[in-house]
Amino acid sequence: MNFDQHVKLVYDTLTDSEKETISYIRSNKATVVEMSISDLASNVLSSKSTILRLAKKLGFRGYTDLKYSLREDMIKASLVPSNLLGNLQVDIQKTFEYAQQVNFEPLIEAIRSADTVIIYATGYTQENYARELSKELMIVGKDNYILSGKANFELVSARLSKNDLVIVISLSGNGSGIRDIIVDLLLNKVPICSITDFGKIF
């Protein structure tokens, strides 16, 4: 979700002061992404704790995540697709080709039979994908848990067995930061599924 979508989800619960702060942020994105939390608080005549509470109210883990979301919005706004329809067509074609080549039954069965399904996201963007996957699994009645942060992943992984399933979302395919945890999971015969961009290998 982009920054505005975060705002829309909780807009009815915002105070007038919080709405004014959000209005300032939206009108000064390029400036805010370079500001410390103290700078922003000073500019909107507020306090650091109030800004932090607002960030969490909007669904961010903290002020840094809020700024990251703004920065992503600015990057996306600056990208002008040269051939949007053509790119979309290529992506859809790749998806169909991949679906025809891969037998998803083992993964579906692993999800169905797992005592515990753990979804580990390696970054902020990946957490958005993890939430969507988690929601879809919940809809079909499969309980699951989303993890973020290496320490949390390491702690929970030590308790898993071959009857569980770990899904790692790493769009870049770079798992070097959690290599030791992955190796321990493999040694304990815990099934692992990795989700990456097309052409990337975890």
Side-chain angles (χ1 to χ4, degrees), residues 153-171:
F153 188 32
E154 187 171 22
L155 183 64
V156 172
S157 294
R159 304 173 183 173
L160 300 178
S161 72
K162 63 182 180 180
N163 298 319
D164 302 311
L165 174 66
V166 172
I167 300 175
V168 178
I169 303 178
S170 172
L171 301 184

Side-chain angles (χ1 to χ4, degrees), residues 97-115:
E97 289 176 359
Y98 184 74
Q100 291 170 349
Q101 295 171 9
V102 176
N103 177 13
F104 289 99
E105 283 302 319
L107 174 59
I108 294 171
E109 180 55 34
I111 293 173
R112 183 185 295 120
S113 61
D115 292 341

Side-chain angles (χ1 to χ4, degrees), residues 68-97:
Y68 180 87
S69 178
L70 292 175
R71 188 174 287 109
E72 288 290 294
D73 289 352
M74 291 167 58
I75 292 172
K76 288 176 182 176
S78 68
L79 296 176
V80 180
S82 57
N83 185 0
L84 183 59
L85 186 59
N87 291 340
L88 181 60
Q89 186 176 10
V90 169
D91 286 343
I92 293 173
Q93 184 62 36
K94 282 183 179 179
T95 300
F96 275 102
E97 289 176 359

